[in-house]
Amino acid sequence: EVLLVESGGGLVQPGGSLRLSCAASGITFGHYWIHWVRQVPGKGLLWVSHINSDGSATSYADSVKGRFTISRDSAKDTVYLQMNSLRVEDTAVYYCTRSFDYWGQGTPVTVSS
Amino acid sequence: DVVMTQSPLSLPVTLGQPASISCRSSQSLVYSDGKTHLNWYQQRPGQSPRRLIYEVSKRDSGVPDRFSGSGSGTDFTLKISRVEAEDVGVYYCMQGSHWPPWTFGQGTEVEIK
């Protein structure tokens, strides 16, 4: 069974940092682009960031550019999203997805004082 | 950025009856590879998105054949031939032809009358 498992979410104060992880089970990330997508509860889906298969190319939504950094560790088959300078409006469930076919269950991030 | 516009945003349907969701893009989704990267997702309550359709009309493995996708250029449609109770949820279209960013429609909530 193919599984993507996100972790690292939680409650953080505005201005704080979190690092999300996305690990694969039953598949390998090796040849795929990986994306992070977020969803405010009750709202729609918003693409956040992508990384290509070898980590040489990344992109970000304007709303997170300069604050979030995506990376991958091929040896661990894991993708990370380092989130700095967090804002209240970053509060959402964060999903990782392998080329938009398989999706994880999401990890909630709450930014609040 | 490509804007994806879905209609209707709410769709009450009777069990066993057909349902149709429209998705329009602000520019043609034909990519340089000749393919049209338009996907449809189902998100059941409390679950992560599940891809149903990719490249306009290709059904993912395990997706019931009552789901079908059609369209071209800027106009796309997801049809459910006979709605079942398990089809309740929110449906999203997503374009992957002009990126970044990858963009989603606002979502269409399907409910049983």
Side-chain angles (χ1 to χ4, degrees):
Chain A
E1 183 186 9
V2 176
L3 285 176
L4 276 65
V5 180
E6 302 96 336
S7 61
L11 174 63
V12 63
Q13 292 187 338
S17 298
L18 282 175
R19 188 178 82 156
L20 306 184
S21 299
C22 173
S25 174
I27 56 168
T28 175
F29 280 162
H31 303 292
Y32 293 91
W33 292 17
I34 306 299
H35 301 258
W36 287 95
V37 174
R38 70 187 186 187
Q39 184 175 38
V40 174
K43 303 296 184 182
L45 301 168
L46 180 71
W47 171 82
V48 172
S49 179
H50 110 278
I51 188 165
N52 71 347
S53 56
D54 65 4
S56 63
T58 61
S59 64
Y60 301 91
D62 287 346
S63 57
V64 307
K65 204 171 291 182
R67 300 187 298 122
F68 290 12
T69 303
I70 192 170
S71 61
R72 65 193 299 161
D73 183 332
S74 297
K76 295 183 178 179
D77 231 4
T78 300
V79 172
Y80 304 98
L81 186 68
Q82 178 67 44
M83 305 189 298
N84 297 331
S85 303
L86 281 161
R87 303 168 180 170
V88 170
E89 56 265 34
D90 295 319
T91 295
V93 174
Y94 285 73
Y95 297 100
C96 66
T97 168
R98 187 195 79 166
S99 296
F100 295 110
D101 52 10
Y102 292 103
W103 294 61
Q105 286 305 300
T107 186
V109 171
T110 302
V111 185
S112 174
S113 54
Chain B
D1 299 356
V2 176
V3 177
M4 305 297 289
T5 304
Q6 289 183 228
S7 62
L9 299 185
S10 178
L11 184 56
V13 294
T14 301
L15 286 173
Q17 293 301 302
S20 180
I21 301 170
S22 170
C23 175
R24 290 197 166 100
S25 56
S26 59
Q27 56 185 281
S28 172
L29 297 186
V30 179
Y31 190 51
S32 55
D33 61 4
K35 298 178 181 178
T36 300
H37 296 280
L38 185 283
N39 300 344
W40 287 98
Y41 294 88
Q42 175 194 61
Q43 188 173 32
R44 291 172 172 152
Q47 295 187 13
S48 54
R50 168 199 182 196
R51 195 178 70 179
L52 300 175
I53 302 285
Y54 64 99
E55 291 176 17
V56 180
S57 59
K58 298 177 180 178
R59 223 173 8 251
D60 272 279
S61 175
V63 174
D65 61 7
R66 64 179 181 276
F67 290 94
S68 64
S70 64
S72 64
T74 61
D75 286 346
F76 306 94
T77 303
L78 176 71
K79 291 182 179 176
I80 310 174
S81 59
R82 294 173 307 279
V83 171
E84 298 189 5
E86 66 178 18
D87 300 335
V88 166
V90 181
Y91 292 77
Y92 297 91
C93 59
M94 188 212 84
Q95 70 83 20
S97 293
H98 302 286
W99 49 266
W102 288 259
T103 50
F104 294 86
Q106 316 97 300
T108 295
E109 185 168 14
V110 172
E111 61 179 22
I112 304 300
K113 278 183 188 175

